[in-house]
Amino acid sequence: MSGLTVRGISKRFRGLQAVKDVSFDVPEHGLIGLIGPNGAGKTTTFNLIAGVYAPDEGEVTFGGQRLNGLRPDQVCAAGIARTFQIVRPFGELSVLDNVLVGCLHAEADVSAARRRAGEIVDRLGLGAKRDQVAASLTLPDRKRLEVARALGTKPKLLLLDEVMAGLRPTEVDQMVAFFREINRDLGVTILLIEHVMRAVMALAQYVVVLNHGEKIAEGTPERVVRDPAVLECYLGEEAV
Amino acid sequence: MLKLWLAEVPPRGKLYLALLLAALLAAPLFVDGYLLSVLILVFYFAYLGQAWNIMMGFAGQLSLGHALYFGIGAYTSAALYVHLGVSPWFGMIAGGAFAAAIGAFIGALGFRFKIGGVYFAILTIAFAEFTRILVDHLLFVGGSGGFFLPISGRSSNDLWTLRGAPVMFYYVWLAFTVGVLILCRALLSSRLGYFWLAIREDQEAAQALGIDTFRYKIFAVMLSAALTACGGVLYAFYNNNLFPSAIFSINRSIDMLLGAIIGGVGTLMGPIVGAFILTPLGETMTALVEPLKGLGAKLDGIKQVFYGLCVVLIVVFQRRGVWPWLWRRLGLDRGEGR
Ligand SMILES: Nc1ncnc2c1ncn2[C@@H]1O[C@H](COP(=O)(O)OP(=O)(O)O)[C@@H](O)[C@H]1O
Ligand SMILES: [Mg+2]
């Protein structure tokens, strides 16, 4: 099977079971949402896929290749790029150079990579800020930069961790349109963690819900938001 | 290629660079022996600062033990020359390769076991100190008693064996200083250079973008070590005497990074600017305290104290070094100083 398969992965931090026996599939060219309240284990799941941590149990495969035990750069080389929820820009480098670093993964020639970086920067609406140092960007722009940099590596699968947090509704709609476009036109598979339900409902074909490290529901977005177990775990959080 | 790099330098910057280079090329015609030796010292600081800067300023890995690589270059080439009559240029290749190998070993040790930042720096000091003690007992290079290169008549300049007058060394040091500047310029606009900068800025993010951080950090250490060793070779043949206590001393390791820190870590011109600031100040300092020494005052570490003071001033008032500030002052501003 091509695409990403996650089979029974678990991760424990000292006493805390952050992810417990989670399984799901992300079909090739799919657009899948991963949701759940804060501390549910979403980011940890990303880190397990991306090679930041090795799962204590379970297996992750991508396009038939087993990812367990690979380093993050090897996972990237396998065609998976991720963004960081807590953004990690290269602060003293310009916006363009940040994206250039990503592009250099896919393109050895610096000037060709710089051209492509310029196109990506423009597409994400950072064109006017391309020569600014990344440290000077606002948080929403840093989130865009995370996306731009990840796209630079020409990924087959893009892992997006709350990239729309802090965006205004119109900006969310632009981002949604953008992701739909790269999914449809470039065939990039997307797995997205998102708190902004407006985006999840609009984008995701299928949603996986985590709570306390465990998968508690999955299905189409419309079905999942009516699931009593999902509503239950979101109680106390803002209404869905 | 050169044209391409210069394209990024503003016109006025090109003018200043050309004037500086012309002045330095012509200097031996006008200055006396003492000033010539001071200028050689400037090149020494600039060249070694540049080499150190590759590791710290580009790849973000702090080394406080670069005297180790310097000493490896100095001792390897001197031993090859004295015992086997091998030209220092071959000695440079041997010493550079040796230093790169040792650098790779220390780097691998540190990076593999995730010894980062200050702890890695302490590891580099430890290796330099260990080597100093080892060389103290290596009798075929004179041990702690010192190792001396035969001085031939200074009337003839032999570039092949690097035996000759200070003027010859002046031009050799100048060539190396310019050469390493061009090399660093090329590195900074290369794929490798961008990977280094990414690692310096955020290792985890760099790795997520597919950069094998271990490998590229090792590259940085190896290149930095090899270039530093080349500087050690020039030093050995210029000074003609090597003492482990002086060659491998922590003072020398610190000296090497002062120019870069004061000029601006991670910038291309920083080490050069820093060297031009530090050396004359250090010389003035020495000249000032010399009479006091005659009066029996103990002022041995005064230069180091003074350098330390300079670093403190820089850290407090101009954290990114003098060069970014000077860059604006010279009217070269077009964003950040490089
Ligand atoms: N590196 C870590 N060390 C210890 N605990 C962690 C670490 N990373 C995450 N956790 C814990 O694991 C749980 C899940 O966190 P996370 O995956 O970030 O949740 P989410 O992204 O769904 O908000 C949280 O309780 C968090 O505190
Ligand atoms: Mg999270």
Side-chain angles (χ1 to χ4, degrees):
Chain A
M1 144 142 206
S2 57
L4 181 79
T5 65
V6 175
R7 286 286 167 270
I9 57 167
S10 300
K11 176 70 191 174
R12 175 178 283 278
F13 294 113
R14 294 202 185 85
L16 183 95
Q17 188 78 48
V19 173
K20 188 176 173 196
D21 194 23
V22 168
S23 301
F24 60 89
D25 292 325
V26 181
E28 201 177 0
H29 309 309
L31 222 165
I32 307 299
L34 183 61
I35 65 170
N38 274 325
K42 305 179 297 292
T43 298
T44 305
T45 302
F46 266 21
N47 284 333
L48 291 172
I49 297 169
V52 176
Y53 312 121
D56 299 336
E57 289 144 38
E59 189 182 55
V60 181
T61 65
F62 181 63
Q65 183 190 359
R66 192 179 143 92
L67 298 184
N68 293 48
L70 294 191
R71 294 188 310 264
D73 55 292
Q74 294 170 319
V75 173
C76 179
I80 301 178
R82 62 89 55 92
T83 67
F84 291 94
Q85 180 185 357
I86 317 279
V87 292
R88 312 188 75 122
F90 303 129
E92 300 217 345
L93 304 192
S94 71
V95 167
L96 187 70
D97 285 351
N98 266 265
V99 183
L100 171 61
V101 171
C103 291
L104 283 169
H105 174 74
E107 186 105 56
D109 179 55
V110 177
S111 31
R114 182 172 284 120
R115 267 196 303 279
R116 213 167 73 78
E119 289 162 18
I120 295 174
V121 162
D122 287 340
R123 293 246 340 239
L124 278 151
L126 291 168
K129 296 168 183 160
R130 55 159 59 196
D131 293 325
Q132 248 171 267
V133 290
S136 69
L137 293 181
T138 59
L139 186 60
D141 278 343
R142 289 180 194 209
K143 297 251 170 187
R144 291 193 183 94
L145 184 61
E146 285 282 328
V147 177
R149 221 167 45 172
L151 274 178
T153 66
K154 287 196 179 163
K156 291 190 266 214
L157 168 64
L158 190 55
L159 306 176
L160 301 169
D161 197 345
E162 299 198 22
V163 291
M164 303 197 220
L167 296 190
R168 286 190 292 271
T170 52
E171 294 175 320
V172 169
D173 293 342
Q174 279 167 15
M175 271 292 217
V176 164
F178 175 73
F179 289 134
R180 197 176 283 139
E181 206 177 302
I182 62 168
N183 176 250
R184 191 188 51 217
D185 299 346
L186 304 177
V188 178
T189 310
I190 294 177
L191 174 61
L192 109 151
I193 297 176
E194 198 49 72
H195 253 62
V196 180
M197 285 312 284
R198 181 191 179 90
V200 179
M201 300 302 287
L203 264 179
Q205 302 150 346
Y206 196 82
V207 176
V208 176
V209 189
L210 298 185
N211 190 26
H212 296 306
E214 291 184 84
K215 184 171 78 178
I216 56 162
E218 63 182 311
T220 61
E222 296 75 22
R223 177 125 43 94
V224 156
V225 291
R226 268 184 243 113
D227 188 313
V230 176
L231 291 173
E232 172 84 11
C233 80
Y234 271 99
L235 275 180
E237 294 250 327
E238 60 187 299
V240 181
Chain B
M1 206 57 178
L2 195 64
K3 233 185 199 162
L4 200 79
W5 303 330
L6 283 174
E8 279 192 19
V9 182
R12 225 191 302 183
K14 271 179 222 161
L15 179 70
Y16 290 143
L17 259 182
L19 284 177
L20 179 63
L21 189 61
L24 290 175
L25 280 171
L29 300 175
F30 305 107
V31 303
D32 64 4
Y34 170 68
L35 268 183
L36 199 73
S37 73
V38 173
L39 282 173
I40 289 177
L41 203 58
V42 171
F43 298 152
Y44 163 90
F45 275 116
Y47 175 86
L48 292 168
Q50 202 80 265
W52 177 83
N53 198 36
I54 291 175
M55 205 173 136
M56 178 64 192
F58 296 177
Q61 307 304 310
L62 177 59
S63 165
L64 295 178
H66 256 46
L68 168 62
Y69 310 125
F70 181 87
I72 288 175
Y75 270 96
T76 305
S77 61
L80 285 173
Y81 179 68
V82 171
H83 295 306
L84 302 170
V86 175
S87 160
W89 301 107
F90 287 123
M92 206 172 259
I93 296 171
F98 189 11
I102 298 292
F105 173 73
I106 297 173
L109 203 63
F111 306 147
R112 187 59 84 204
F113 295 103
K114 305 232 154 55
I115 303 168
V118 173
Y119 299 101
F120 179 71
I122 291 171
L123 186 72
T124 62
I125 297 177
F127 271 95
E129 282 298 294
F130 168 77
T131 310
R132 179 178 63 76
I133 294 161
L134 184 77
V135 176
D136 262 342
H137 297 92
L138 281 187
L139 292 182
F140 77 99
V141 287
S144 58
F147 192 38
F148 302 92
L149 281 85
I151 304 172
S152 61
R154 287 228 156 170
S155 51
S156 70
N157 289 328
D158 183 359
L159 208 52
W160 181 243
T161 57
L162 278 181
R163 306 283 73 198
V167 176
M168 179 185 80
F169 285 98
Y170 175 90
Y171 283 112
V172 172
W173 272 111
L174 176 59
F176 270 72
T177 307
V178 173
V180 79
L181 173 67
I182 293 173
L183 175 69
C184 285
R185 178 71 193 88
L187 284 171
L188 264 195
S189 49
S190 73
R191 188 168 190 247
L192 177 63
Y194 279 107
F195 285 176
W196 280 340
L197 294 180
I199 291 169
R200 178 191 78 188
E201 291 297 309
D202 191 320
Q203 250 191 91
E204 225 178 284
Q207 212 173 12
L209 294 174
I211 298 171
D212 183 347
T213 51
F214 179 79
R215 182 163 146 208
Y216 288 102
K217 283 192 289 186
I218 294 280
F219 275 177
V221 183
M222 288 176 73
L223 183 61
S224 182
L227 289 171
T228 303
C230 295
V233 175
L234 296 187
Y235 177 93
F237 283 75
Y238 172 55
N239 284 58
N240 297 311
N241 61 72
L242 304 172
F243 294 93
S245 57
I247 293 292
F248 294 100
S249 82
I250 176 97
N251 281 349
R252 186 177 302 283
S253 294
I254 302 294
D255 279 357
M256 280 187 226
L257 55 86
L258 283 174
I261 289 189
I262 288 177
V265 178
T267 66
L268 280 174
M269 289 301 287
I272 297 174
V273 171
F276 269 102
I277 293 172
L278 264 189
T279 315
L281 287 179
E283 287 302 303
T284 313
M285 202 68 197
T286 310
L288 284 179
V289 301
E290 206 56 43
L292 297 178
K293 268 191 186 158
L295 302 173
K298 273 198 79 121
L299 295 161
D300 286 343
I302 191 78
K303 226 175 180 173
Q304 265 63 39
V305 172
F306 172 71
Y307 287 157
L309 197 69
C310 288
V311 171
V312 170
L313 287 177
I314 282 292
V315 169
V316 172
F317 292 109
Q318 201 67 49
R319 220 176 61 76
R320 311 188 62 194
V322 172
W323 174 240
W325 170 83
L326 189 65
W327 169 271
R328 287 190 295 274
R329 273 296 137 119
L330 292 173
L332 299 172
D333 199 14
R334 238 191 26 180
E336 285 300 305
R338 289 291 291 271

